[in-house]
């Protein structure tokens, strides 16, 4: 099928009658769209909740472990000036 034949086929399809749309299609689309939006909103809230919980856990860990403080020495330093 060459380009001219393809263009003619497309023109025949475009010039034809518009297809009938089922009457309940709009209601189904609205219902599904609402469901998708609800799921996205729930997913977004769960992600924010998980990030918040991770931040709180990091803060609690940092306040209890205090990783910025040098750990105490395990051995005593040698006595040299006796």
């Amino acid at each position: 099928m060459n380009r001219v034949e393809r263009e003619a086929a497309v023109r025949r399809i475009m010039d034809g009658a518009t297809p009938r749309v089922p009457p309940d299609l709009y209601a189904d689309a609205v219902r599904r769209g609402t469901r998708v939006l609800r799921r996205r909103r729930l997913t977004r809230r769960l992600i924010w909740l998980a990030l918040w919980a991770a931040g709180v856990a990091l803060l609690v860990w940092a306040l209890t472990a205090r990783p910025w403080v040098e750990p105490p020495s395990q051995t005593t330093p040698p006595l040299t000036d006796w």
Side-chain angles (χ1 to χ4, degrees):
M1 185 179 251
N2 61 19
R3 183 176 180 215
V4 175
E5 291 174 352
R6 282 187 300 202
E7 287 179 0
V10 169
R11 284 197 177 93
R12 278 194 307 272
I13 292 171
M14 297 296 285
D15 289 339
T18 57
R20 301 283 299 162
V21 177
D24 59 341
L25 182 65
Y26 176 75
D28 287 343
V30 169
R31 189 182 58 192
R32 289 180 183 168
T34 303
R35 189 180 339 152
V36 168
L37 289 176
R38 221 178 314 128
R39 285 182 184 169
R40 284 184 186 171
R41 189 180 315 129
L42 178 64
T43 303
R44 202 175 306 124
R45 285 181 183 174
L46 288 175
I47 289 171
W48 278 113
L49 179 66
L51 285 173
W52 183 81
V56 169
L58 180 68
L59 179 68
V60 168
W61 171 79
L63 291 176
T64 57
R66 298 189 329 174
W68 55 87
V69 176
E70 184 177 335
S73 173
Q74 298 295 330
T75 60
T76 58
L79 297 175
T80 56
D81 292 331
W82 271 53

